[in-house]
Amino acid sequence: MRGRCCSPGRDAADADGAAGRVTETFPPRAPRPGAEPPPHAVRLPGGAFLMGSDERLGHPDDQEGPVRTVTVGPFAAAATTVTTLQWAAFVEETGHVTDAERFGWSHVFHLHLPPAVAARAPRVRSAPWWCAVRGADWRRPEGPGSSLAGREDHPAVHLSWRDARAWCAWAGGRLPTEAEWEYAARGGLENARYPWGDELRPGGEDRCNIWRGDFPHRDEAAAGWAGTAPVMTYPANGFGLFQTVGNVWEWCADPWRGGRVIKGGSFLCHDSWCNRYRVAARAANEEDASAANAGFRCVWDIPVPDTPERGPHRAWTATSHKE
């Protein structure tokens, strides 16, 4: 499926002879009771906004439109995707083993590998730039021999939806619904294509980390990053959230196409293949899938005061897009 090749699933590689799947599962971690959003989280008031796009810039089967009014309740969102340091703290405390580690392999972009490794790695047929690399995981983003040195403030990657959900619960939060994610990513702009407006490079300046050059053969790395960039490289949107498009795909809670919604695109997005670095764009991937361009952002519920209309004190959550 073209959409999943943006961040490939386990099945895509299995079909090409990569390491087999494992059947071991782990139970979901329960959220910490009564957890409050951390001080650094951005508190968002919620409300009605226009979700989706009628521009027809995406793939028709992505179902971005029609533009519709969606209402979300108040919530708090992390200003950035979870970093390698933040993920490492979670692993240190809990001993969590990621899906990539359980499987023994994950997807890495071919140009980010030594030629000899790329030459022998199984490929995704529909997207041969993806290599299934044994030993690739969050600690070793490009597989054996690579490390996190110098990437402490980069997004943690090679994390599945299940991994992301476990971190969020440990932090007292959860993954955003697709509606919450899009509301937050828009930063208060209505019907804008990107978090900062409709022009990709206003004034000729980069505003996000996406592919520059001839995809997938030549990466100009115009902004200086071949792969992920630090999570606060570009200016925040109107709500104070950084890099909601580009850099890494972000997992959402919503089920779709037999997997879960992913939003925001990544450093591999290019309009010749995948222009899903727009706020309305969407794709899906399997819950246990992982890749070098897959990360996540956490959100937290905010209790709202009792009112006659709302009844007992509770946290409101967003209305999700239905498949």
Side-chain angles (χ1 to χ4, degrees):
M1 180 183 295
R2 191 177 187 186
R4 290 191 180 178
C5 291
C6 294
S7 189
R10 297 283 174 193
D11 288 335
D14 290 343
D16 289 2
R21 303 188 73 150
V22 295
T23 57
E24 182 181 9
T25 60
F26 53 91
R29 182 181 298 272
R32 291 176 175 175
E36 289 289 329
H40 58 77
V42 178
R43 291 177 178 256
L44 304 174
F49 77 104
L50 296 180
M51 181 174 178
S53 173
D54 292 327
E55 289 190 292
R56 299 184 180 180
L57 294 175
H59 305 294
D61 58 356
D62 283 354
Q63 301 173 336
E64 293 180 13
V67 173
R68 63 267 183 204
T69 300
V70 174
T71 300
V72 299
F75 65 100
T80 72
T81 52
V82 169
T83 66
T84 62
L85 277 180
Q86 292 171 324
W87 180 263
F90 162 64
V91 173
E92 176 71 19
E93 181 175 318
T94 66
H96 180 87
V97 178
T98 64
D99 275 324
E101 291 168 295
R102 290 172 182 270
F103 283 108
W105 64 274
S106 190
H107 287 102
V108 181
F109 185 64
H110 72 121
L111 292 184
H112 296 168
L113 294 168
V117 175
R120 65 175 181 266
R123 303 288 185 112
V124 176
R125 291 194 187 106
S126 58
W129 47 86
W130 280 118
C131 298
V133 177
R134 286 190 174 275
D137 55 43
W138 72 272
R139 290 185 179 91
R140 302 175 296 180
E142 291 78 49
S146 63
S147 74
L148 297 177
R151 291 189 270 193
E152 293 82 2
D153 58 350
H154 285 233
V157 294
H158 292 293
L159 303 178
S160 71
W161 179 86
R162 303 192 308 176
D163 297 325
R165 184 178 61 160
W167 190 97
C168 289
W170 170 77
R174 57 180 173 80
L175 287 171
T177 66
E178 182 179 7
E180 286 173 326
W181 187 96
E182 189 165 326
Y183 164 81
R186 290 183 175 278
L189 297 182
E190 188 169 286
N191 272 335
R193 190 175 297 166
Y194 308 109
W196 55 86
D198 290 328
E199 188 177 348
L200 179 59
R201 301 181 71 233
E205 295 182 358
D206 290 323
R207 295 294 183 92
C208 62
N209 181 26
I210 58 175
W211 185 272
R212 307 289 185 202
D214 177 20
F215 184 83
H217 309 292
R218 178 178 53 83
D219 183 5
E220 296 177 354
W225 305 105
T228 60
V231 295
M232 298 176 72
T233 297
Y234 300 98
N237 70 7
F239 287 155
L241 274 60
F242 292 85
Q243 292 184 218
T244 54
V245 299
N247 219 24
V248 292
W249 283 101
E250 299 185 24
W251 287 106
C252 294
D254 300 355
W256 189 42
R257 292 179 175 171
R260 298 287 173 170
V261 171
I262 53 176
K263 298 279 281 185
S266 80
F267 61 84
L268 291 180
C269 282
H270 187 268
D271 61 10
S272 66
W273 177 262
C274 166
N275 65 347
R276 293 188 176 100
Y277 44 88
R278 296 167 293 104
V279 288
R282 59 204 301 255
N285 211 343
E286 299 142 1
E287 292 182 1
D288 59 6
S290 63
N293 67 341
F296 69 98
R297 183 185 308 259
C298 188
V299 301
W300 292 264
D301 291 318
I302 297 178
V304 296
D306 294 350
T307 67
E309 294 79 15
R310 291 175 180 159
H313 176 95
R314 64 186 179 92
W316 279 29
T317 56
T319 302
S320 302
H321 177 84
K322 302 299 182 182
E323 183 173 352

